[in-house]
Amino acid sequence: MLPVQDTHGNARSGIPMPSTVKKAPPSSVRMSLSGPALRAPYVPPMGSGPSSNPRHSIYRSQNANPLLQSTSKPNYGRTPLHNSTRRGSIWTGNAAIAAPSGSQTLKDPRPIRERAYQSKMRQEIFSWLHATGYEISIQTLTNITGKDYRAMFQHLVNLIDPCYPFEPKVRFEDEFQPALRALRYPFVSQMDNKWLAAPGSMHSWPALLAVLHWLVDIGKARLQYLESEDPTLQNVERMPEEFHEPMHHQALAFEYFSEAYIAFFHGADVFTEQDKALEVRYAKKNERVLNDLEEQKEQLAQLQAELAQLQTSGAPLEKLQKAHGYLVSDRAKFHDVLQRFESRKKHLIDTIAHEKAELNMRTTNLEQLKSEHNKLLDTVKAQNLTPEEVARMNSDHETLSRNLEELKHKISETQKAVMSLEVMMTNRGAAAEEALDLYTNLLSSLGLFPPLPPPFEGVDLTLQLNLATTNVSQLLIGEDIRKVIKPTLSAVAELKRTKRAEVESERIKVDNDLDQLTLECENVYEEVREVEKKVVVLNEQADELRDAAQQESMVSNAEAARLERELAHARTAALSSGLGVKSRLQALQFDYREQQAKIARLKDETIRAIAKNSNEIALFKEEVSSRLRKLRDFVEEGG
């Protein structure tokens, strides 16, 4: 990292320039009113590393002009830090920057006499010089010469302050201690210029090596500070999109003032581009916050709507009690269903056992019938029957068999129909229970549980289904649907429709009132704008009156000066002219007094006009403020 070349010489340094140095030709560019920047060292934090970033100035300007001072440092000015602008040196010449006096001599606490510590300092100095582009061998630091020490010293100082004014023709002994004082080396009072003649000697080398090591530490700290994201750098390009540090605001303000100052030098009076750039930067900063604000507003509106709904709705305890009542009734219904299914299960078990017993009995009867059939066959064989009798008996047997089969088929069909009817009854009962549950939920949501509001106090709209009964008239427990429930529901619906129509008419009325208030607000705003226009016109008239008064005052002053000159001339002429000149002198004195009275009168009129306009403006502001407050109170009371 080589030092930056100073293209302007020592133009901004506090060191006196020799008379032999060629002076720069005068420039037609308008100079700053703040004067040259005098910079005092501003030491950054220690422990920094190397960087490839361009080095900006770390020194505070001493400009005394309050209009050009930095917004980040109230008591110090600062010059723009562009690449095309040369930074000033920390050398302040005759400024009040001095090393500690003899009475304040500090003792170096570092063990600079120890060989291990010297070896460590040499290694760190060697590494830093190589890292900054200064080629040197480790043997040079072991056997140092005055020329090498001067080159290393100047290189390290230029890394800290690239614009420090080293003079090749000046002896190194004359530049050594002033440079250390300018950099605020704490042990400069212990240095002796005689050591520079032989810097590698045993008594001088530890202290001189410690100076180089201190310069290396300062250079590292400065580089690390410049590479850091510290807000005090006031680097606009490295600022985050969202920031809250005051230094960041001050950096943007200084950047804006610098750009506006440059535009002012180019003849601009209105800084539109700078204003737009600053507005865009702050809009980018506030973008996420505004989005969050909009989301928070939406959430607030939702929460307010929920709160209003909760406030207008019934208490949660009542809803819980109703839900508990529903659950208790459902539990009772579920127990009824369980008991019904348990009874059906027992009935089915008994039926299966009965069918098994009947099957066994019929099997026994079949065996008996078979045995009897065999006996009858044997008996028939033993009997002497005619073929006609046998045929008749067979036909009777077949007829009886067919009748028996038909009866069995009808019995099975009847059983199937009974089973399908039971299944259908179960499904219809479940559907009826679901319909009753839906009906009960609708009653709960509409608030029609007993006791009902007047004029339906004695009506109970609830219904219960009892599927366990065998009496059809007792399946549905409750009021009669056709005669009581349906007419009551129709009356309730008609009442609700009437209330809804009333609420709708009330809403339309409120919307009309709100539109009227909005129109009145717009009319008030129009009046405010008209009054503002009148105020602007009055201000312009006051400015014109003030300008006219100033012009008349200037004319009167010129006339008074002319009259004074004529009076002086008349006095000189009166010495030779006599009484005629005295009369002219009196006339001139009279005119002079008239001009002074006219000037005083114009001043009084101007002051009265300004006071009157200021009073009218203040009264207008108070009137507008009171009108706006009344309008806000009226809108809040109406809302």
Side-chain angles (χ1 to χ4, degrees):
M1 184 174 65
L2 296 177
V4 179
Q5 297 295 328
D6 185 5
T7 59
H8 300 281
N10 297 325
R12 299 180 70 177
S13 173
I15 297 178
M17 297 291 292
S19 60
T20 57
V21 177
K22 182 180 179 181
K23 297 183 179 179
S27 175
S28 60
V29 180
R30 183 178 176 183
M31 297 298 291
S32 172
L33 299 176
S34 62
L38 299 178
R39 301 177 180 270
Y42 183 71
V43 181
M46 300 295 290
S48 303
S51 170
S52 60
N53 219 22
R55 297 188 301 273
H56 298 286
S57 176
I58 62 172
Y59 305 103
R60 293 197 284 261
S61 175
Q62 303 294 329
N63 288 327
N65 192 343
L67 296 176
L68 303 176
Q69 289 179 355
S70 171
T71 57
S72 63
K73 306 173 183 66
N75 298 325
Y76 299 95
R78 189 177 67 178
T79 56
L81 302 180
H82 298 292
N83 293 331
S84 62
T85 304
R86 176 181 172 273
R87 296 184 294 104
S89 171
I90 65 171
W91 175 256
T92 59
N94 297 327
I97 301 176
S101 62
S103 61
Q104 298 177 352
T105 302
L106 299 177
K107 184 178 181 181
D108 195 343
R110 296 173 293 181
I112 59 176
R113 299 288 179 180
E114 295 181 3
R115 292 186 177 275
Y117 190 72
Q118 292 180 5
S119 176
K120 177 185 175 183
M121 290 192 295
R122 280 196 298 270
Q123 186 63 37
E124 293 182 1
I125 294 169
F126 175 75
S127 301
W128 177 248
L129 290 175
H130 269 271
T132 56
Y134 187 87
E135 298 296 333
I136 191 175
S137 61
I138 195 68
Q139 288 78 14
T140 304
L141 292 174
T142 306
N143 299 318
I144 193 72
T145 62
K147 182 179 179 181
D148 293 336
Y149 187 83
R150 177 174 184 173
M152 287 188 290
F153 179 81
Q154 291 181 354
H155 175 74
L156 294 175
V157 171
N158 285 328
L159 290 179
I160 300 172
D161 181 14
C163 300
Y164 189 83
F166 283 114
E167 293 291 339
K169 296 180 181 181
V170 178
R171 293 192 318 134
F172 183 49
E173 290 82 356
D174 297 336
E175 292 183 329
F176 180 66
Q177 290 195 13
L180 292 179
R181 288 190 180 94
L183 295 175
R184 299 295 182 89
Y185 182 62
F187 314 111
V188 67
S189 60
Q190 300 179 8
M191 297 291 105
D192 190 354
N193 290 336
K194 297 179 182 179
W195 294 351
L196 300 175
S201 60
M202 295 178 60
H203 67 280
S204 62
W205 177 237
L208 296 177
L209 182 64
V211 170
L212 296 179
H213 185 260
W214 183 83
L215 292 176
V216 167
D217 290 339
I218 294 299
K220 289 180 179 179
R222 176 182 180 273
L223 191 59
Q224 183 179 2
Y225 173 69
L226 293 178
E227 286 183 344
S228 66
E229 299 293 337
D230 196 277
T232 56
L233 286 173
Q234 297 189 2
N235 190 351
V236 179
E237 297 178 355
R238 300 174 66 179
M239 284 173 52
E241 292 186 359
E242 296 184 10
F243 54 87
H244 303 284
E245 287 288 339
M247 287 293 180
H248 291 154
H249 295 280
Q250 294 168 359
L252 288 177
F254 182 77
E255 183 72 14
Y256 170 79
F257 290 139
S258 301
E259 297 293 337
Y261 199 54
I262 294 172
F264 173 73
F265 276 140
H266 289 84
D269 293 330
V270 180
F271 313 108
T272 307
E273 296 180 0
Q274 290 78 12
D275 294 340
K276 288 183 179 179
L278 190 63
E279 290 174 358
V280 168
R281 185 65 183 84
Y282 273 99
K284 190 176 181 181
K285 169 187 174 293
N286 299 329
E287 182 178 1
R288 187 186 65 82
V289 177
L290 293 176
N291 293 332
D292 293 341
L293 180 60
E294 293 297 329
E295 293 178 0
Q296 294 293 335
K297 286 183 178 178
E298 292 178 358
Q299 293 180 2
L300 177 61
Q302 294 177 0
L303 293 175
Q304 287 178 349
E306 292 179 1
L307 177 61
Q309 184 179 1
L310 291 174
Q311 290 177 349
T312 54
S313 61
L317 181 60
E318 296 178 357
K319 294 183 178 180
L320 292 176
Q321 288 177 351
K322 291 180 180 179
H324 180 262
Y326 296 151
L327 293 176
V328 170
S329 62
D330 293 340
R331 179 174 174 273
K333 293 177 183 178
F334 183 70
H335 281 298
D336 294 338
V337 172
L338 286 179
Q339 291 176 1
R340 187 165 61 252
F341 279 108
E342 288 292 336
S343 61
R344 185 179 297 176
K345 178 181 176 183
K346 293 179 180 179
H347 177 68
L348 290 175
I349 291 173
D350 296 338
T351 304
I352 291 171
H354 178 70
E355 292 294 334
K356 286 182 178 179
E358 187 176 357
L359 180 61
N360 294 328
M361 183 183 66
R362 291 189 178 185
T363 304
T364 306
N365 292 333
L366 181 60
E367 290 177 356
Q368 292 177 359
L369 290 173
K370 284 182 179 180
S371 62
E372 290 179 357
H373 181 264
N374 293 327
K375 289 179 181 181
L376 289 172
L377 287 176
D378 293 341
T379 305
V380 168
K381 287 180 181 180
Q383 291 178 356
N384 189 10
L385 297 175
T386 62
E388 291 80 5
E389 292 177 349
V390 172
R392 183 173 58 80
M393 291 177 64
N394 289 331
S395 63
D396 294 338
H397 180 268
E398 290 176 358
T399 302
L400 293 174
S401 298
R402 283 194 300 270
N403 293 332
L404 182 61
E405 291 295 331
E406 289 177 357
L407 292 173
K408 288 181 179 179
H409 181 68
K410 289 180 179 180
I411 291 172
S412 62
E413 288 182 353
T414 304
Q415 290 178 351
K416 290 180 180 179
V418 169
M419 292 296 294
S420 62
L421 289 175
E422 287 182 355
V423 173
M424 186 182 298
M425 180 181 176
T426 303
N427 294 332
R428 294 290 177 84
E433 287 180 352
E434 291 178 358
L436 282 177
D437 291 338
L438 179 60
Y439 173 73
T440 306
N441 292 331
L442 289 175
L443 290 180
S444 175
S445 61
L446 295 175
L448 297 178
F449 270 111
L452 296 179
F456 311 105
E457 295 89 346
V459 180
D460 187 3
L461 298 178
T462 58
L463 294 174
Q464 293 182 359
L465 186 65
N466 185 14
L467 296 176
T469 183
T470 57
N471 191 359
V472 178
S473 61
Q474 296 180 356
L475 284 176
L476 197 61
I477 301 173
E479 300 289 342
D480 188 77
I481 295 177
R482 294 182 180 178
K483 297 180 179 180
V484 178
I485 294 178
K486 191 172 181 180
T488 304
L489 291 177
S490 299
V492 170
E494 184 65 27
L495 184 62
K496 295 293 183 181
R497 282 193 289 270
T498 305
K499 289 183 178 179
R500 182 178 179 182
E502 293 177 356
V503 171
E504 188 67 22
S505 62
E506 185 68 22
R507 184 187 66 80
I508 294 172
K509 182 179 178 182
V510 171
D511 290 339
N512 188 18
D513 294 340
L514 184 60
D515 293 337
Q516 291 179 359
L517 289 175
T518 305
L519 182 60
E520 291 179 0
C521 291
E522 292 177 355
N523 294 332
V524 171
Y525 287 147
E526 288 294 333
E527 292 178 1
V528 169
R529 283 193 288 271
E530 291 295 331
V531 176
E532 287 179 352
K533 291 179 181 178
K534 292 180 180 179
V535 170
V536 172
V537 172
L538 289 175
N539 287 331
E540 292 177 355
Q541 292 177 357
D543 293 336
E544 292 176 357
L545 182 61
R546 185 171 59 254
D547 295 337
Q550 290 178 356
Q551 292 177 1
E552 291 181 0
S553 176
M554 291 174 62
V555 171
S556 300
N557 290 332
E559 184 69 19
R562 185 182 64 79
L563 292 174
E564 286 179 355
R565 289 194 300 270
E566 291 181 358
L567 181 60
H569 180 68
R571 284 177 180 175
T572 55
L575 297 175
S576 59
S577 305
L579 296 175
V581 176
K582 288 182 179 180
S583 62
R584 180 171 175 78
L585 176 61
Q586 290 177 357
L588 291 175
Q589 288 178 349
F590 181 73
D591 292 338
Y592 176 69
R593 284 194 294 271
E594 286 183 352
Q595 292 295 331
Q596 283 184 340
K598 185 178 181 181
I599 291 170
R601 187 179 68 257
L602 289 174
K603 286 183 179 180
D604 293 337
E605 291 178 356
T606 304
I607 292 172
R608 284 195 297 272
I610 293 173
K612 180 181 179 182
N613 290 331
S614 300
N615 189 19
E616 290 179 355
I617 291 171
L619 293 176
F620 168 72
K621 289 183 178 179
E622 291 179 358
E623 182 66 21
V624 171
S625 300
S626 63
R627 288 290 183 87
L628 292 176
R629 284 196 297 270
K630 292 179 180 178
L631 179 61
R632 184 183 61 189
D633 296 337
F634 179 73
V635 172
E636 290 178 354
E637 292 176 358

